[in-house]
Amino acid sequence: MTIQWYPGHMAKATREVRELIKRVDVVVELADARIPQASRNPVLNDILSERPRVLALVKTDMADEAITKAWQQHFEQNGKAVVLMNAKHNQGSGKLIQEVNRLAQPKMQALQKKGIQNRSVRAMILGIPNVGKSTVINRLVGKNQAKTGNKPAVTQGNHWLKVSNQMDVLDTPGILWPKFEDPEVGYKLAITGAIKDERLDFQDVVLYLIRQLHDRYPDALKERYNLPELPSEGVELFEAIGRKRGCLIAGGDVDFDQAAEVILRDFRSQKLGPISLEKPNDGPI
C-alpha cells in the first residue's frame, strides 16, 4: 500500500520541534494505547536527544486493558517512565504532572544553584496526528484552550499553555515521519486515524484490519456482525460482513467500499469493543 501523506507542514513542524526542544525541560510523548509501538515516531529519538521523557499511553479506554498493562510493564522494564491516560474521563492527568515534575527536578535544582528561582517547569507535548494531544492538554490546564478533533492536523502551530504557576506545556502539531520501514505501521496508523482518510484506500486498510481482528478478536467479529462462524480467508470474511450489513450493489454483489467504511467506523467508535492491534511479544516493528 502506498500512502501519500507527508505534507509540507509536517516537515516544517519537525524543524520547529528541533529548535523548540532547547527551551523545554521534559518531553511528554503520547502514544496510542491500541498501537503503542507503531504510534511512536522514530524520528523523535534523534530530535529529543537526552531530554527526560514521559511516555503517555493514551486512549486506554479504547484498548484491551490486559494488553495495555503488558505494554506498561514492557516499557518500564526498558527504563521508560510510563503513564496510562484516558483523557476523555480525565484519568492519568495527575500522574502525568507528577512524572513531569519528577523528571524535571535535576534541571530545576541546577537552575536554583545558578540563582534562577521560581521558574516554571516547561514540558513539550509530542505525538503523531490525531493521537489526542490537545485533549490531554485541555485536561492538564483545566480549560478548552487547545483545539480538539477526531481527525489529523487540528493543531496547526506551537502554543504555550499554563498548567499552574509551576508548569507550562507546549502544544505541537502531530508529526509523522517520511518513510515506514514496515508497511504494517502504515496500516495501523491509517486504521486509528493518524493519516487523513482522503489519502487512504479503504478496502486495502480494512482488509488488513479484518485479518487482525480475525486472529486477535474473533468473538468480537462474530458478535458484532452476527456470524456463527468466520471464514478463514480475509476477502471472504470481508464479503460476509458486507452482506450482513446490507452493503450491496445492483445484482447482489457486495459494495466493498461501503462495507469498508462501515467496518472502519465500527472499529473507531468502539462498536467492536476495546481492541489492541499490538502486543509486546509481537516482535519489533
Side-chain angles (χ1 to χ4, degrees):
M1 177 182 64
T2 300
I3 300 175
Q4 301 299 323
W5 54 266
Y6 197 68
H9 80 268
M10 288 193 185
K12 178 183 176 183
T14 301
R15 290 193 300 270
E16 290 177 348
V17 167
R18 288 184 183 274
E19 289 300 314
L20 290 167
I21 194 65
K22 303 171 185 176
R23 300 169 54 189
V24 304
D25 308 312
V26 178
V27 172
V28 177
E29 180 190 359
L30 305 188
D32 190 323
R34 298 169 295 179
I35 50 169
Q37 197 80 301
S39 59
R40 299 186 67 203
N41 188 339
V43 174
L44 295 183
N45 290 326
D46 173 55
I47 295 175
L48 301 183
S49 184
E50 299 301 319
R51 282 292 186 279
R53 192 187 326 185
V54 182
L55 178 61
L57 297 182
V58 299
K59 303 186 180 181
T60 54
D61 56 312
M62 304 178 76
D64 187 314
E65 183 178 3
I67 295 178
T68 299
K69 290 290 187 180
W71 274 111
Q72 180 182 22
Q73 184 179 25
H74 168 79
F75 286 126
E76 289 177 343
Q77 287 175 346
N78 284 277
K80 295 179 174 61
V82 181
V83 175
L84 305 185
M85 298 194 70
N86 175 0
K88 185 185 298 183
H89 297 99
N90 201 20
Q91 296 172 353
S93 300
K95 176 66 172 175
L96 180 59
I97 291 172
Q98 290 176 10
E99 283 297 298
V100 170
N101 281 323
R102 181 181 67 83
L103 291 174
Q105 277 309 298
K107 175 67 175 291
M108 305 310 290
Q109 290 171 0
L111 290 175
Q112 290 171 7
K113 289 180 179 179
K114 294 179 180 179
I116 301 174
Q117 304 291 330
N118 301 320
R119 207 266 267 155
S120 298
V121 172
R122 298 170 181 168
M124 175 185 284
I125 311 292
L126 281 177
I128 64 173
N130 202 32
V131 76
K133 295 181 302 299
S134 297
T135 301
V136 168
I137 288 174
N138 286 335
R139 289 300 187 183
L140 293 176
V141 303
K143 300 176 182 178
N144 291 328
Q145 294 193 42
K147 294 180 180 179
T148 61
N150 60 355
K151 58 183 180 180
V154 173
T155 301
Q156 297 294 336
N158 303 297
H159 308 282
W160 283 102
L161 300 168
K162 186 169 287 295
V163 175
S164 67
N165 291 332
Q166 289 78 42
M167 184 180 296
D168 298 324
V169 295
L170 178 62
D171 186 14
T172 60
I175 304 173
L176 287 172
W177 54 105
K179 181 181 179 182
F180 299 139
E181 296 298 330
D182 186 328
E184 288 200 36
V185 171
Y187 284 118
K188 291 171 183 176
L189 293 174
I191 289 165
T192 53
I195 300 170
K196 288 184 177 181
D197 287 346
E198 305 91 87
R199 302 177 185 275
L200 305 180
D201 179 341
F202 272 140
Q203 290 190 31
D204 203 16
V205 170
V206 171
L207 183 58
Y208 175 85
L209 173 60
I210 286 172
R211 287 168 173 160
Q212 290 293 307
L213 294 173
H214 178 278
D215 292 342
R216 298 173 187 265
Y217 298 94
D219 290 341
L221 287 174
K222 290 178 181 178
E223 181 177 351
R224 177 62 184 167
Y225 300 114
N226 192 25
L227 294 169
E229 298 296 332
L230 300 181
S232 59
E233 210 286 314
V235 174
E236 293 178 1
L237 179 53
F238 200 164
E239 183 176 15
I241 293 172
R243 290 193 180 282
K244 283 289 185 178
R245 278 290 177 265
C247 303
L248 304 175
I249 57 178
D253 291 331
V254 169
D255 184 336
F256 283 96
D257 286 331
Q258 183 184 2
E261 291 186 23
V262 167
I263 296 166
L264 193 58
R265 186 168 59 245
D266 283 350
F267 172 82
R268 291 178 178 175
S269 62
Q270 296 176 263
K271 297 291 178 59
L272 290 158
I275 300 289
S276 292
L277 297 177
E278 293 177 343
K279 293 181 180 179
N281 59 3
D282 283 346
I285 291 179

